Amino acid sequence: VRHLLVCDHTVYFKHYFVLRGEAVILKCPSFSHEAFSDLSLNLTWHKNDSKHVISGEDKEQRIQAKGDTLWFLPASLEDTGVYICTQRNSSYCAKVSIRLTVVEKTAAHDISYMQKLFTFTSGKLVCPDLGGFMDKKADLELKWYKDSVPLDEDNKKYIRLKETTSLIIGSVLPEDSGYYTCKTSFTYEGTQYPVTRTILLQTVETEKRNTPVIVYPDQKTTLAVPGYKMIIPCKVFIGLSRHFYTIVVWLANDTYIDMMYKDDRVTVGERQEIVENGENFIEVPLIFDPVREVDFYTDFKCLAQNSDGYQVLPTRVKEEGIDFDCT
Ligand SMILES: *[C@@H]1O[C@H](CO)[C@@H](O)[C@H](O)[C@H]1NC(C)=O
Ligand SMILES: *[C@@H]1O[C@H](CO)[C@@H](O)[C@H](O)[C@H]1NC(C)=O
Ligand SMILES: *[C@@H]1O[C@H](CO)[C@@H](O)[C@H](O)[C@H]1NC(C)=O
Ligand SMILES: *[C@@H]1O[C@H](CO)[C@@H](O)[C@H](O)[C@H]1NC(C)=O
């Protein structure tokens, strides 16, 4: 007898925005779900609107599954959509959906990543989301641009660390804010594909360096589907302050989550203290199990506070499919 397992389905709030014609690697997220690190599970990929499993055998194929990653060589506009990775064995099944939006090159600024650096001290810009390419030991030579002008290799203001994705600015000035572009290329089976990331740098006064800054969610709305499980992480940059000085909480209609949802349909997940590129972050997920229509009318807020100040970020859960805006 073959048992049909009902899958535990999570819509993970990771939205990849990429440029048409570039190489893209999506990674099946491994959030605190222990099973997602279980390598004995069979992992498959498919696009939401298709039952067809994306295979990894044909090296000529434009879209290929490779373990827990999905490669687009290169991405095209019609690849926009929801991709689902399913992990299963004979007794277990879990699915995670992640979202991909492919835009034209002219919209590069609309999909930029926000980074913040403090003024009058040195700071590091990081070319983001290159993880999948770095894992492949690709020889990634990065070229950096500020407002489309190449940053001269000899310019003493900038320090490039070989074999890393960072650009160090010796002393950050307020006028350094603006758009930076990092470019590289990825070669697969003899073909070279461009990989471009755009960063919007904001400079922050040094006096505020220990104030928490919410870096994620970076959009005012999160798309959701009623009936599905969903996770929205709140990621807070805490500069040089120690993790234990900063509290991070989620509120619904200005009420603590555990007081609002006595049935535990909406809960706050485990707090994670992260050090990334030498900087301190705290991440606290808000978990909907499942999303219900009432969530579209509720005000959710992530609040981060320490003795130097606080920041609040309101976010709205919106029903997917209506009024979709990628800016
Ligand atoms: C299937 O995977 C689950 C989750 O990792 C694990 O607990 C279970 O033992 C596995 N079952 C089999 C038959 O391998
Ligand atoms: C994994 O799943 C696919 C699709 O169901 C199947 O074709 C393949 O044989 C499975 N692989 C293993 C190792 O179980
Ligand atoms: C998947 O696609 C179907 C049909 O297009 C849609 O109704 C559903 O909401 C989508 N699910 C997700 C998680 O996007
Ligand atoms: C939050 O407030 C809105 C507007 O008053 C209301 O419609 C919604 O049901 C409230 N949410 C919860 C979870 O009580």
Side-chain angles (χ1 to χ4, degrees):
V1 182
R2 280 199 61 199
H3 293 275
L4 268 182
L5 285 173
V6 177
C7 265
D8 175 20
H9 193 159
T10 302
V11 179
Y12 189 72
F13 186 59
K14 172 77 182 174
H15 197 152
Y16 288 84
F17 292 98
V18 301
L19 297 180
R20 181 166 79 101
E22 301 213 336
V24 173
I25 296 182
L26 303 189
K27 196 165 163 46
C28 187
S30 59
F31 54 89
S32 55
H33 221 300
E34 60 182 61
F36 274 83
S37 52
D38 185 343
L39 295 174
S40 70
L41 294 172
N42 186 352
L43 194 150
T44 52
W45 286 93
H46 70 278
K47 197 174 178 185
N48 175 41
D49 49 17
S50 147
K51 285 264 173 288
H52 173 73
V53 170
I54 302 168
S55 87
E57 278 123 51
D58 185 356
K59 291 189 168 165
E60 300 286 296
Q61 230 170 242
R62 193 173 60 79
I63 306 178
Q64 297 174 32
K66 293 193 183 289
D68 64 347
T69 57
L70 185 64
W71 297 21
F72 296 77
L73 300 167
S76 87
L77 293 179
E78 71 267 17
D79 297 334
T80 293
V82 172
Y83 290 83
I84 299 170
C85 51
T86 306
Q87 293 200 301
R88 65 168 87 230
N89 61 18
S90 54
S91 63
Y92 173 86
C93 178
K95 290 180 181 193
V96 180
S97 320
I98 48 185
R99 178 173 291 280
L100 173 72
T101 301
V102 184
V103 304
E104 289 287 1
K105 283 188 170 49
T106 48
H109 280 192
D110 297 342
I111 62 169
S112 58
Y113 294 75
M114 178 85 84
Q115 287 182 19
K116 296 181 200 251
L117 293 179
F118 298 108
T119 49
F120 306 109
T121 175
S122 71
K124 183 158 70 178
L125 280 180
V126 177
C127 194
D129 266 349
L130 292 182
F133 299 105
M134 300 302 280
D135 293 349
K136 300 292 168 291
K137 301 252 182 300
D139 180 21
L140 289 184
E141 204 188 316
L142 288 181
K143 288 205 171 62
W144 286 88
Y145 303 79
K146 164 90 198 288
D147 299 324
S148 307
V149 181
L151 296 182
D152 192 349
E153 298 269 352
D154 301 328
N155 192 328
K156 294 270 188 295
K157 184 174 171 64
Y158 306 102
I159 303 159
R160 268 160 260 241
L161 299 178
K162 282 255 176 316
E163 285 160 35
T164 73
T165 54
S166 19
L167 177 76
I168 293 177
I169 304 183
S171 175
V172 178
L173 300 175
E175 59 265 33
D176 290 332
S177 56
Y179 288 100
Y180 289 77
T181 306
C182 44
K183 281 191 183 162
T184 183
S185 62
F186 179 66
T187 305
Y188 182 76
E189 297 286 309
T191 310
Q192 225 182 34
Y193 303 95
V195 177
T196 310
R197 304 282 183 260
T198 305
I199 299 161
L200 176 57
L201 173 64
Q202 279 191 347
T203 57
V204 180
E205 292 161 57
T206 303
E207 296 77 71
K208 299 203 178 127
R209 65 180 304 153
N210 289 332
T211 307
V213 178
I214 298 173
V215 291
Y216 205 81
D218 53 359
Q219 283 135 335
K220 294 247 165 7
T221 58
T222 302
L223 298 174
V225 188
Y228 283 92
K229 185 171 172 183
M230 179 176 73
I231 300 174
I232 310 179
C234 179
K235 185 170 176 182
V236 181
F237 174 57
I238 54 168
L240 295 181
S241 62
R242 299 278 199 77
H243 285 120
F244 56 82
Y245 290 138
T246 306
I247 60 156
V248 178
V249 296
W250 276 99
L251 303 169
N253 284 354
D254 293 319
T255 306
Y256 286 112
I257 298 296
D258 56 342
M259 296 176 75
M260 181 66 107
Y261 301 95
K262 296 268 198 272
D263 59 352
D264 286 344
R265 182 180 63 82
V266 182
T267 53
V268 175
E270 203 176 318
R271 168 184 165 116
Q272 290 181 60
E273 302 185 341
I274 309 164
V275 180
E276 237 174 57
N277 304 312
E279 281 156 346
N280 297 327
F281 294 87
I282 295 172
E283 196 172 298
V284 176
L286 180 66
I287 303 165
F288 298 77
D289 194 5
V291 173
R292 293 256 179 266
E293 207 174 322
V294 62
D295 300 332
F296 305 143
Y297 309 103
T298 304
D299 279 315
F300 293 98
K301 279 180 192 155
C302 176
L303 181 148
Q305 182 167 25
N306 63 20
S307 54
D308 290 301
Y310 73 98
Q311 196 189 8
V312 182
L313 198 115
T315 187
R316 274 269 176 191
V317 178
K318 231 166 98 174
E319 180 145 24
E320 167 152 14
I322 39 173
D323 213 3
F324 177 61
D325 183 2
C326 72
T327 57

PDB file of all heavy atoms in Angstrom, residues 42-44 53 88, ligand 2:
ATOM      1  N   ASN A  42      14.846  13.069   0.095  1.00  0.00           N
ATOM      2  CA  ASN A  42      14.865  13.315  -1.349  1.00  0.00           C
ATOM      3  C   ASN A  42      14.306  14.719  -1.607  1.00  0.00           C
ATOM      4  O   ASN A  42      13.181  15.017  -1.254  1.00  0.00           O
ATOM      5  CB  ASN A  42      14.001  12.240  -2.022  1.00  0.00           C
ATOM      6  CG  ASN A  42      14.080  12.310  -3.522  1.00  0.00           C
ATOM      7  OD1 ASN A  42      14.657  13.233  -4.084  1.00  0.00           O
ATOM      8  ND2 ASN A  42      13.473  11.323  -4.177  1.00  0.00           N
ATOM      9  N   LEU A  43      15.119  15.579  -2.221  1.00  0.00           N
ATOM     10  CA  LEU A  43      14.694  16.966  -2.440  1.00  0.00           C
ATOM     11  C   LEU A  43      14.363  17.184  -3.911  1.00  0.00           C
ATOM     12  O   LEU A  43      15.169  16.858  -4.790  1.00  0.00           O
ATOM     13  CB  LEU A  43      15.808  17.913  -1.991  1.00  0.00           C
ATOM     14  CG  LEU A  43      15.417  19.380  -1.848  1.00  0.00           C
ATOM     15  CD1 LEU A  43      16.261  20.041  -0.781  1.00  0.00           C
ATOM     16  CD2 LEU A  43      15.542  20.147  -3.140  1.00  0.00           C
ATOM     17  N   THR A  44      13.161  17.697  -4.178  1.00  0.00           N
ATOM     18  CA  THR A  44      12.789  18.002  -5.562  1.00  0.00           C
ATOM     19  C   THR A  44      12.299  19.441  -5.662  1.00  0.00           C
ATOM     20  O   THR A  44      11.857  20.026  -4.678  1.00  0.00           O
ATOM     21  CB  THR A  44      11.660  17.083  -6.065  1.00  0.00           C
ATOM     22  OG1 THR A  44      10.584  17.135  -5.130  1.00  0.00           O
ATOM     23  CG2 THR A  44      12.131  15.651  -6.239  1.00  0.00           C
ATOM     24  N   VAL A  53       8.378  18.073 -12.220  1.00  0.00           N
ATOM     25  CA  VAL A  53       9.577  18.215 -11.386  1.00  0.00           C
ATOM     26  C   VAL A  53      10.734  18.676 -12.267  1.00  0.00           C
ATOM     27  O   VAL A  53      10.942  18.154 -13.362  1.00  0.00           O
ATOM     28  CB  VAL A  53       9.918  16.869 -10.699  1.00  0.00           C
ATOM     29  CG1 VAL A  53      11.287  16.925 -10.026  1.00  0.00           C
ATOM     30  CG2 VAL A  53       8.842  16.514  -9.679  1.00  0.00           C
ATOM     31  N   ARG A  88      11.273  14.782   1.090  1.00  0.00           N
ATOM     32  CA  ARG A  88      10.487  13.670   1.601  1.00  0.00           C
ATOM     33  C   ARG A  88      11.283  12.385   1.713  1.00  0.00           C
ATOM     34  O   ARG A  88      12.290  12.199   1.061  1.00  0.00           O
ATOM     35  CB  ARG A  88       9.236  13.458   0.744  1.00  0.00           C
ATOM     36  CG  ARG A  88       9.526  13.041  -0.679  1.00  0.00           C
ATOM     37  CD  ARG A  88       8.256  12.571  -1.356  1.00  0.00           C
ATOM     38  NE  ARG A  88       7.492  13.643  -1.971  1.00  0.00           N
ATOM     39  CZ  ARG A  88       6.189  13.843  -1.781  1.00  0.00           C
ATOM     40  NH1 ARG A  88       5.516  13.081  -0.956  1.00  0.00           N
ATOM     41  NH2 ARG A  88       5.559  14.803  -2.416  1.00  0.00           N
TER      42      ARG A  88
HETATM   43  C1  LIG B   2      13.396  11.315  -5.554  1.00  0.00           C
HETATM   44  O1  LIG B   2      12.111  11.671  -6.068  1.00  0.00           O
HETATM   45  C2  LIG B   2      12.018  11.619  -7.483  1.00  0.00           C
HETATM   46  C3  LIG B   2      10.648  12.180  -7.876  1.00  0.00           C
HETATM   47  O2  LIG B   2       9.631  11.602  -7.110  1.00  0.00           O
HETATM   48  C4  LIG B   2      12.245  10.192  -7.961  1.00  0.00           C
HETATM   49  O3  LIG B   2      12.171  10.155  -9.355  1.00  0.00           O
HETATM   50  C5  LIG B   2      13.622   9.751  -7.482  1.00  0.00           C
HETATM   51  O4  LIG B   2      13.827   8.386  -7.828  1.00  0.00           O
HETATM   52  C6  LIG B   2      13.766   9.892  -5.980  1.00  0.00           C
HETATM   53  N1  LIG B   2      15.147   9.616  -5.600  1.00  0.00           N
HETATM   54  C7  LIG B   2      15.464   8.899  -4.531  1.00  0.00           C
HETATM   55  C8  LIG B   2      16.921   8.755  -4.255  1.00  0.00           C
HETATM   56  O5  LIG B   2      14.618   8.409  -3.809  1.00  0.00           O
END
